[in-house]
Each structure stands twice: as C-alpha cells, then as structure tokens.
Amino acid sequence: MADFDTGLGRNDANFVAMTPIDFLVRSGTVYGERPAIVHGDYRQTWEQTYTRCRQLAGALRQRGIKRNSTVAVLLHNTPAMVEAHFGVPMSGGVLCSLNVRLDTDALIFCLQHGEAEVLLVDSEFQPHIAQIRKACPDLLIVQVNDYLGPKDIEAFSELDYESLLQESTDLDNWQYPADEWDAIALNYTSGTTGNPKGVVYHHRGAALNAISNILEWDLPKYAVYLWTLPLFHCNGWCFAWTIAARAGVNVCLRKFEPKSCFEIIRKEKITHYCAAPVVHAALANAPAAIKEGVQHGVKGLVAGAAPPEAVLENMEKMGFNITHVYGLTEVYGPSAVCAEQEEWDDLTVSQRAALKARQGVRYHLQGALDVINPATMQPVEANGTEFGELMFRGNIVMKGYLKNPKTTEESFAGGWYHTGDLGVKYEDGYVQIKDRSKDIIISGGENISSIEVEDVLYKYPGVANCAVVALNDEKWGEVPVAFIELKEDADVSEEEILEYCREHMARFKVPKKVVFGELQKTATGKIQKYELRRQAAELFGSGN
C-alpha cells in the first residue's frame, strides 16, 4: 500500500483559504473595464469597485478594525451595500447587515449583542440615530448619503462614507482570512423567543453557496442582476458574492415598486433576480401596460413559499422562468432547489406548479438534505406520507449562534442542523414541507415571531390572554392575526390595539386582524393555536 503523505500539510504554501473575497480580486483584475454596479444613472466598473473596496478595508483597518471586529450596516440595496460585502471582510472584520425594517430597540439589541464597532447607515434612517448613539456611545457612525435617497437630511455624523474611503492611505492594507472557517458575516434572525439570534457565517460556506448559486441557476458570465431581494437577507442569499464570481452587473434598487422594476428590466436588460413570493406576485399581477416591452428572457428565484399556480402562469406568459429554492438564515439562504426536469415542460401549468411547490433537493455543494425522524435520527421512508423534520448538514451550514451555545448544540443534535420544518420525502428524493414545528409567521419573506407580538399585546391594559397565529394571504404568503381575551369590564377596540402595535413594533409585524373573545384552552391551560388557525381561516378566508 502506497504512502500518499507528501509532507505538505494544509497550512503550507499550497493552501489558500476559500473566500468570496477572491471573486472580487479576480473580476477586478481580469474584467476590470466591465460594469459592476448600476444605480440610476451611476455606473461603476469592476476595477473601480475593487479599488473602492480596498479603500474601505484600509480605512476600517486604520480605525482599528481587525479579525472578528463587527462592522454593522443599515443600508438599502445601494452601491455602498455591495461594497461593504467585500470591504468589511477584507479588513478582517465581520459584516453585520441589519434588517432595515426593524424598530430602534431591535436594532440596538443587534448592535449591542454583536458588539458592533462601526455602523454604516443610510441617511433615511436618521430617526434611529439619537437612541442608537445614546445606547452605543462608543459606536463609530458613518453616514451614507445616496443621491437617489431622501434629500435635505441634516448631517447626523461628522464622518460620511466617501470621506471614510478617502482616509485610506494604502490600497494594499487588506487581508485574506487566515482560516476559511473565520467568520465573514453575522446575520440576525427572529426566532420563537422574540429576541433575534445571531447567525455566524464562515468564509468557506459563503464562497461555496455563492458558487452553488451559479451551478443551480446555470448563471452565465456577465449576468445582469436586479437587487429586488434585500441584501440584509442572508447577505442577499450570497448573491453579492455570486455576481462578483461571474463578473456580472449589480443593478441596485433602493425600494421595490413594480412600475419602476419593469422600467429597469427593460432599460438594463435584466437577466436574473431573486425575491420573496410577494414580489413575484406583484410583478405577475401588475397592469399589462407596464409589463409591455420585455423582449428578453428573465429568470427569477423564489423562496419563502412555492409560487402559486396563477403567478407561475402569468410569469410564463411574460417570458419569466421561476425556480423555487428553500433554505433558512442558518444555511446561508437557499441551500436546496426544486431542480426542474425536462419532462416537466410537457405538463400543464397546474401540474408543473404542484411539482415546483416542493422544496426539492440539496444544492450542489451542500453536504446533505434529508427528512429525518428527530426521535430516532433515521431518515423517513420516501413515500410522500411519513412525516419527519427537514435537516441539513455540510459546508453550507452556519458556524452556530453567537453567544448561544445551548441553542447551537440543540440545533445540531445528532450531527444535523434541525430546520424546525416538518415534511415528507417522495420516491424521486425530492422533499416538501407540510407544516412548521415553530410558531413562525412568514410574511412577505420576513419572519415574524408570534411570541414577540404576543409579548407586546400582553402589555396593553385590558388584555387578559392573547395568541397570534398565521393566516394564509394571497399577497404576503402569511399575515398575523391576533386573538385577544379581554379582562372583565375592559373596553378596547380593534383600532386601539392596532395603533398600539404600530407604536411598539415594526410595521410588518402588526396583526392584520384582531378577534376578541374567550380563547379555547387545553386542560392544562395551554391555548389551542391550531383551533385559532382554523377559526382565522373560517372568519377571513385568504387575505387580499
């Protein structure tokens, strides 16, 4: 038997850490003159982007950012947001992309929990600054002024983004990670406990998922990608790094609106975009007049829920091809795909929609996806009926939850990441979610913790008991409905409850309906949420 030990180990000169930073370096040097970023009338090449990212990295390092320093960003999909996805990790720091829809208290929690040292923040979010500065006095706040953003905003920081870049005195003052398992990003996700959990990504997983995006989508070189998906969602499902790997074009978009999207699709010849179901539906159901003139094929990814038959049909009529992907923040966004088969082309739209509703199979570079009995940790039968929990393992799985070893250990029990989603596996190996084991409401691609909303409601005077459940909605996928049992003699209206919620939580978390009455409970006093879901469906049907 031959001895294949050549004497060179992983840490010798032949080893280079896998990182998406290298995608920028390559495109910046090989395809430097090609367009990299489009924002309105603004154009930026890959060489310019490479230079600006090195400037950002150097400036951050000069200000003390190093390995494991957290740099937070509160930005829309603007050029600065794309640059931060490279400049921050090139400084050695960890990028924390904050959800722009969070309220101030939630933002402060994330900043404090993640120990952020720098915050790059769009001028639009000036109303948050006073409270953030008071809660985080040592935080360096950098104002990002976007020419397509709000006008006449008074400066709330002595340092703006362009001035920060100009501070850099050395374009070579950046670094690759010493270890590909080093943290590259910190993403906060709402769990069933109200407070967000910090999900830690590593360079290796980010690079592998970025490459998998290319493989799953047959993404060509120079793809023109529209940022309809918020970059704060799992780092844009890793597509900031994917587009760099293909020397494509990042077409930025501050806010989604169907009319402007179709104008951009026509003008820039958009080839690809990703979005939650609500965005796809808005495009599919837009007036015919604003959809006219798209002569080229467009590809879209949808996650959060399967594309409804009507949306799929309208998309196909427009020449849009939609692929269903599945994942969670903990697996870098999509980590499974409903891989389409050639024979599906001969099926009716209804038949195709049923097949596309499945979550599918693992990504190319993900280790495994299976439906497993969590009690025995054995895979279920591939018969489409036996229930189990969808679980992942492999390279495209988080390092764990920041400062939360107990939850991390529980999530990886038995050597698999437990998604909390219950489903089945079919004979062809494709998996499909049938129910959720957690009381999470997914509305417009956003996760809403029912417990978090309930905690707010319980603080309102006159509320004795409450429960928040999901109601299927044609536009948003799901919306929250609140069932409230009032204290004796309490006189409370639905509008009073809703106004109170608007003041104490992000708008997308506010219940769409409120139902007053006694809540049905078990013998042990537990509220029967399954009964409330049934009642909500009977009372309101599907929302509009």
Side-chain angles (χ1 to χ4, degrees), residues 462-529:
V463 173
N465 286 298
C466 68
V468 175
V469 298
L471 172 69
N472 289 336
D473 185 88
E474 292 177 2
K475 180 178 181 181
W476 300 106
E478 293 176 341
V479 293
V481 175
F483 286 82
I484 296 176
E485 184 176 321
L486 296 174
K487 296 177 182 176
E488 191 174 351
D489 298 326
D491 184 15
V492 180
S493 70
E494 179 178 19
E495 185 53 36
E496 287 173 331
I497 291 290
L498 295 178
E499 186 58 33
Y500 173 78
C501 289
R502 295 183 193 112
E503 295 174 0
H504 291 83
M505 66 183 72
R507 287 299 179 102
F508 70 89
K509 298 179 181 180
V510 174
K512 294 296 183 287
K513 301 286 184 180
V514 177
V515 180
F516 294 100
E518 184 177 353
L519 303 185
Q520 200 166 337
K521 307 176 187 67
T522 66
T524 57
K526 184 176 181 180
I527 296 171
Q528 295 180 326
K529 281 197 169 183

Side-chain angles (χ1 to χ4, degrees), residues 54-200:
R54 285 182 290 167
Q55 286 181 304
L56 176 57
L60 290 172
R61 287 173 66 80
Q62 287 171 202
R63 284 184 169 266
I65 295 300
K66 53 187 179 297
R67 182 175 182 266
N68 288 340
S69 296
T70 303
V71 177
V73 296
L74 184 62
L75 301 168
H76 288 296
N77 292 350
T78 58
M81 184 60 144
V82 177
E83 292 166 358
H85 275 73
F86 296 94
V88 172
M90 289 167 76
S91 74
V94 179
L95 177 66
C96 178
S97 299
L98 298 168
N99 187 332
V100 301
R101 298 165 186 164
L102 293 178
D103 55 36
T104 309
D105 288 342
L107 291 171
I108 290 171
F109 172 85
C110 296
L111 291 167
Q112 292 179 334
H113 184 265
E115 300 181 42
E117 298 177 31
V118 177
L119 172 64
L120 309 181
V121 56
D122 190 285
S123 296
E124 180 177 323
F125 304 113
Q126 181 268 341
H128 296 296
I129 298 302
Q131 286 180 254
I132 287 175
R133 185 170 277 129
K134 182 178 180 181
C136 309
D138 297 326
L139 183 69
L140 173 64
I141 296 177
V142 180
Q143 183 169 340
V144 180
N145 299 307
D146 175 26
Y147 87 101
L148 292 180
K151 304 295 186 283
D152 303 322
I153 298 289
E154 289 188 16
F156 52 78
S157 173
E158 295 179 359
L159 181 64
D160 65 54
Y161 183 67
E162 295 301 324
S163 298
L164 175 67
L165 296 191
Q166 293 307 311
E167 287 183 358
S168 178
T169 58
D170 182 3
L171 288 181
D172 294 322
N173 186 17
W174 64 275
Q175 63 182 28
Y176 282 105
D179 190 322
E180 60 191 28
W181 298 102
D182 280 354
I184 186 173
L186 171 65
N187 290 301
Y188 280 91
T189 178
S190 295
T192 56
T193 56
N195 271 341
K197 296 193 293 291
V199 176
V200 182

